Amino acid sequence: MTTPILSALSAEQLSATTLLRFATAGSVDDGKSTLVGRLLHDSKSILTDQLEAVEQVSLSRGQETPDLALLTDGLRAEREQGITIDVAYRYFATTRRRFILADTPGHVQYTRNMVTGASTAELAVVLVDARNGVVEQTRRHAAVAALLRVPHVVLAVNKMDLVEYAEPVFAAIAEDFTAYAASLGVPEITAIPISALAGDNVVEPSAHMDWYGGPTVLEHLETVPVSHDLTACHARFPVQYVIRPQTAEHPDYRGYAGQIAAGVFRVGEAVSVLPSGRTTTITGIDTLGESVDIAWAPQSVTLRLADDIDISRGDLIAPLDDAPPVTRDVEATVCHVADQPLSVGQRVLLKHTTRTVKAIVKDIPSRLTLDDLSQHPAPGQLVANDIGRVVVRTAEPLALDAYADSRRTGSFLLIDPADGTTLSAGMAGAAFATAPEPVVTDDDAEWDF
């Protein structure tokens, strides 16, 4: 649905500015980097010198044809081991759409990087080796995509050339994955049989699979509906910095700078400042050195308010009639990404938008079992790559949305207070509406909230 902000654009202008963020995922050796390389190569989205460099490296290894995976595997360790370790971002465009692609690792050790790459994606391409079918890492990536509320998932059944382009092989894998992903709540699944190495159904339709009548990978990427319009979400403005120049030219100026996380703000609108709950009115919006009457996500702006309220970094400004609940009890699902476990009773820092507060892990009710999607009750701790439910008690109240309502303001990080290591990526569930209690000071060494 076109929002009022975008309605003034013509269809041609809107099409030209459409951006799709997508991520690739899959198990080791399923061919993710080769698919990305083929996509870039066949869509003519790489420079001549890049292709020449790949050809030279491939020849030095004794390969007769260019190894297109080298277009994304940029780290020396990745090229030596033949695996993807870090998230590789690539930017390209066709006449129909612009793309930001995150090529994520397949090895179970680097599942945490898949969480990073898919966290802002509107679509995830999950690759499966046609010879192996759906494996545990495939299920893990499907679970992460569902957990992160990625609205579109493409199942790319790769290496069809190695199974003689057999339709029954593709159909069985598609049925297996679709049933599993649907049980996770993935809203849309599109299965495409491909051979990334040979280029079948990546950019051009395959002459070897006339039994398949669906889109190629690129055709689907160009036509899938993009639903990341942040202006249609609940308006949220995390304060990043308070501006008070106190100069002769601006003696009384006080503004609150940051990036609008979601929604639209207007001059004259009544707003609430959270977690304090104080109310005021927007008297001005400054952006790029100019005053405007309206601003929307993801613009970076400075808001001016009618009242001198005690506001600092970490506070959240929201419409008075659409403010999120304020709570100190956070129930969420987390992907644990650190090597060290997350345990009940552990003291952590919780980072939500621009706010970081002390917290304690009060409970870990369950851990997800990927094989059958059952919940293993009371595991006591989560280890690397586990997905589980947690209950966290914070020292200070937070204005937290449910992740289902807002991916931007419903997500958070759990951080080790000792060394700053990211422990878990969290997606908030229904927040308990508890009244704010006195803030715990730094003198409380026990962190007993």
Side-chain angles (χ1 to χ4, degrees):
M1 181 177 68
T2 302
T3 67
I5 300 300
L6 301 179
S7 60
L9 294 177
S10 66
E12 293 78 9
Q13 290 172 320
L14 192 58
S15 175
T17 59
T18 300
L19 170 69
L20 176 69
R21 297 175 183 268
F22 72 100
T24 59
S27 190
V28 174
D29 292 332
D30 280 351
K32 295 178 304 303
S33 296
T34 302
L35 170 63
V36 174
R38 174 63 65 184
L39 195 61
L40 296 174
H41 178 272
D42 288 7
S43 64
K44 298 178 175 57
S45 299
I46 56 174
L47 300 176
T48 303
D49 59 340
Q50 290 177 303
L51 183 59
E52 291 176 350
V54 168
E55 291 173 342
Q56 291 176 2
V57 173
S58 301
L59 287 174
S60 68
R61 294 179 172 182
Q63 296 171 298
E64 297 181 357
T65 58
D67 183 358
L68 298 179
L70 297 177
L71 289 170
T72 56
D73 287 341
L75 299 179
R76 177 179 296 177
E78 293 177 323
R79 297 191 175 194
E80 291 176 349
Q81 299 178 49
I83 63 173
T84 302
I85 296 175
D86 200 1
V87 180
Y89 290 95
R90 291 295 179 267
Y91 307 85
F92 68 102
T94 66
T95 57
R96 305 178 71 178
R97 180 169 281 175
R98 295 179 295 120
F99 302 94
I100 298 179
L101 181 157
D103 182 28
T104 69
H107 196 283
V108 64
Q109 179 181 350
Y110 304 111
T111 300
R112 68 199 77 179
N113 296 35
M114 190 264 179
V115 176
T116 301
S119 61
T120 58
E122 291 92 46
L123 181 146
V125 179
V126 179
L127 270 79
V128 171
D129 189 325
R131 300 168 298 176
N132 303 328
V134 176
V135 297
E136 181 181 4
Q137 190 68 342
T138 310
R139 290 190 288 269
R140 180 176 284 108
H141 286 154
V144 170
L147 194 60
L148 294 173
R149 304 274 175 171
V150 179
H152 307 282
V153 172
V154 172
L155 170 67
V157 182
N158 193 24
K159 305 187 180 182
M160 288 295 296
D161 54 315
L162 300 183
V163 294
E164 299 180 351
Y165 299 102
E167 182 181 7
V169 174
F170 167 73
I173 295 173
E175 182 179 3
D176 186 11
F177 180 87
T178 299
Y180 182 85
S183 65
L184 289 167
V186 176
E188 179 183 292
I189 304 157
T190 302
I192 304 176
I194 69 169
S195 170
L197 187 63
D200 293 290
N201 284 338
V202 178
V203 172
E204 300 295 337
S206 172
H208 301 97
M209 291 180 279
D210 53 4
W211 45 263
Y212 172 74
T216 65
V217 173
L218 181 61
E219 183 181 355
H220 183 70
L221 294 176
E222 288 180 325
T223 57
V224 67
V226 176
S227 57
H228 67 284
D229 183 10
L230 295 176
T231 65
C233 302
H234 303 286
R236 302 289 185 261
F237 181 77
V239 176
Q240 184 173 353
Y241 188 71
V242 180
I243 299 177
R244 292 191 63 196
Q246 296 180 306
T247 61
E249 185 180 357
H250 304 285
D252 300 319
Y253 186 94
R254 182 195 294 263
Y256 306 96
Q259 183 183 50
I260 300 176
V264 179
F265 287 91
R266 296 174 173 84
V267 172
E269 183 176 14
V271 294
S272 179
V273 180
L274 303 171
S276 69
R278 294 183 176 90
T279 62
T280 185
T281 302
I282 298 176
T283 58
I285 302 175
D286 301 326
T287 181
L288 299 177
E290 297 181 356
S291 294
V292 296
D293 293 328
I294 185 172
W296 56 89
Q299 289 181 320
S300 295
V301 301
T302 299
L303 299 185
R304 289 179 279 121
L305 306 178
D307 303 286
D308 288 338
I309 298 176
D310 183 11
I311 301 175
S312 59
R313 176 184 172 88
D315 287 341
L316 185 76
I317 298 176
L320 182 59
D321 58 355
D322 187 28
V326 175
T327 183
R328 290 180 56 213
D329 296 289
V330 180
E331 182 178 351
T333 300
V334 301
C335 295
H336 190 64
V337 299
D339 293 328
Q340 64 185 94
L342 183 73
S343 305
V344 174
Q346 187 170 344
R347 300 166 185 172
V348 296
L349 297 176
L350 189 153
K351 179 174 174 54
H352 172 249
T353 62
T354 58
R355 188 176 186 84
T356 301
V357 299
K358 291 181 178 180
I360 291 179
V361 179
K362 285 294 187 180
D363 191 18
I364 302 179
S366 63
R367 182 184 71 241
L368 180 67
T369 303
L370 294 173
D371 290 333
D372 57 5
L373 297 179
S374 63
Q375 297 288 336
H376 177 75
Q381 66 177 15
L382 299 176
V383 298
N385 299 316
D386 275 350
I387 298 172
R389 296 288 298 173
V390 301
V391 177
V392 178
R393 176 78 164 171
T394 62
E396 304 172 30
L398 293 174
L400 196 68
D401 285 296
Y403 188 80
D405 295 331
S406 174
R407 294 172 74 182
R408 294 286 301 274
T409 53
S411 58
F412 61 87
L413 297 176
L414 297 182
I415 300 171
D416 186 340
D419 59 11
T421 300
T422 297
L423 301 173
S424 301
M427 283 65 67
F432 304 116
T434 57
E437 299 179 18
V439 174
V440 178
T441 66
D442 291 338
D443 296 331
D444 187 359
E446 295 301 322
W447 287 34
D448 186 9
F449 312 143

